[in-house]
Each structure stands twice: as structure tokens, then as C-alpha cells.
Amino acid sequence: MNDDQLYDLLQTIILPLSQERYLWRVGGSAALRVHGIDIDRVSVGDLDLTSEDEGIEFCLKHFEGARENSRAFPRHIRFELQGQEVKVLGTRPDIDYLERSVFVPWRGLYVPVLPLQDILTIYEKKVDKPDKAAFVRQELEWRHGSAIWLKDS
């Protein structure tokens, strides 16, 4: 999905979830886009969200066609919105860190995402996505001018 499609999708989702005050955040490639990593390097195929159970329940009721995968752990649901797939995953304490989310301004929206350093740790140590980890590492090195601060990642 391109940036305009991602913006429209986030705008539709952020307002209702934020009004309910559930802990949730954007993850996956969409989080990298919000952090400013170039869309030519990281494509966004769907929108991944992570939420506590109350946020999942809200999405099941609020978004038409939302269905839960009853055999999955952590809990997750899927639905289509504006022609795009949205996945809302339940929390896994070992990788989700909902309480560490930050609000990043992107195209006039304030989008909850993990800091890039936490995303790098997840990609390198938890979910084994070396290509995405490389993009995040390069971005962090570029932003900070050196790799010294990455020594613990």
C-alpha cells in the first residue's frame, strides 16, 4: 500500500481506538513507514496493530467483517478496511512492550509505535527478520551518525 492509502487507513483507525483509550500500537512495516523509512526499501502489505484484549474486543465490534482466529496465540483478528487487510494481534509480553510506545507525528497524525531501537531488537532477537533489521539498523546509524550507541542491540 502507498503512503496515501496508509494515511487513510490510519486516520480511520486512530480516532475510534484513541477515544476508547486502549493500549495499542502500529507494528510491522507500517511502523517503519511512520518512522520515515523509505517506502522503496520497505513495502507495506497490510496494517499490523498490537493491542491489549480490550482493544481487540473493540475492533471486533467496531469494524465490519472482523473475525477472530480462535486457534491462534497470541489472540488475533483480521478484517478488511478500505480494501486493505488489517491484523490486530494480542500482546506477547516478550516482544510487545505496549507501555514503551511513543507517538510519532506522521502526515498530521500522531501514531503510536515502538521506538526504532525496540523495533530493531524485536527484528534481530525475537522474530528473525534480518532484512527489516538491516533497514532499521541503517536508519538508526544514519540518524545518529555512528553505530557506537547500538552496542547492546
Side-chain angles (χ1 to χ4, degrees), residues 69-93:
N69 181 343
S70 60
R71 292 182 279 179
F73 180 82
R75 185 177 183 200
H76 78 269
I77 64 171
R78 293 175 186 258
F79 57 95
E80 191 172 296
L81 188 61
Q82 300 169 359
Q84 304 294 331
E85 182 180 30
V86 178
K87 294 185 286 188
V88 185
L89 306 173
T91 57
R92 286 179 38 195

Side-chain angles (χ1 to χ4, degrees), residues 45-146:
D46 60 10
L47 180 60
D48 296 321
L49 306 176
T50 300
S51 178
E52 57 193 356
D53 280 344
E54 293 85 356
I56 290 175
E57 289 297 326
F58 176 81
C59 288
L60 278 168
K61 293 174 187 167
H62 189 78
F63 295 110
E64 186 176 324
R67 288 182 177 68
E68 185 166 6
N69 181 343
S70 60
R71 292 182 279 179
F73 180 82
R75 185 177 183 200
H76 78 269
I77 64 171
R78 293 175 186 258
F79 57 95
E80 191 172 296
L81 188 61
Q82 300 169 359
Q84 304 294 331
E85 182 180 30
V86 178
K87 294 185 286 188
V88 185
L89 306 173
T91 57
R92 286 179 38 195
D94 60 326
I95 66 170
D96 289 320
Y97 316 128
L98 278 176
E99 71 284 352
R100 292 169 67 161
S101 296
V102 295
F103 287 88
V104 173
W106 185 72
R107 299 181 91 186
L109 300 174
Y110 288 91
V111 184
V113 293
L114 284 177
L116 279 176
Q117 180 64 48
D118 288 340
I119 293 172
L120 177 62
T121 300
I122 289 169
Y123 282 150
E124 287 184 334
K125 297 182 178 180
K126 306 290 184 177
V127 296
D128 192 31
K129 293 194 175 187
D131 292 344
K132 287 187 179 179
F135 293 140
V136 174
R137 181 174 288 282
Q138 288 171 357
E139 183 72 19
L140 286 168
E141 289 174 358
W142 178 81
R143 288 182 185 188
H144 296 281
S146 89

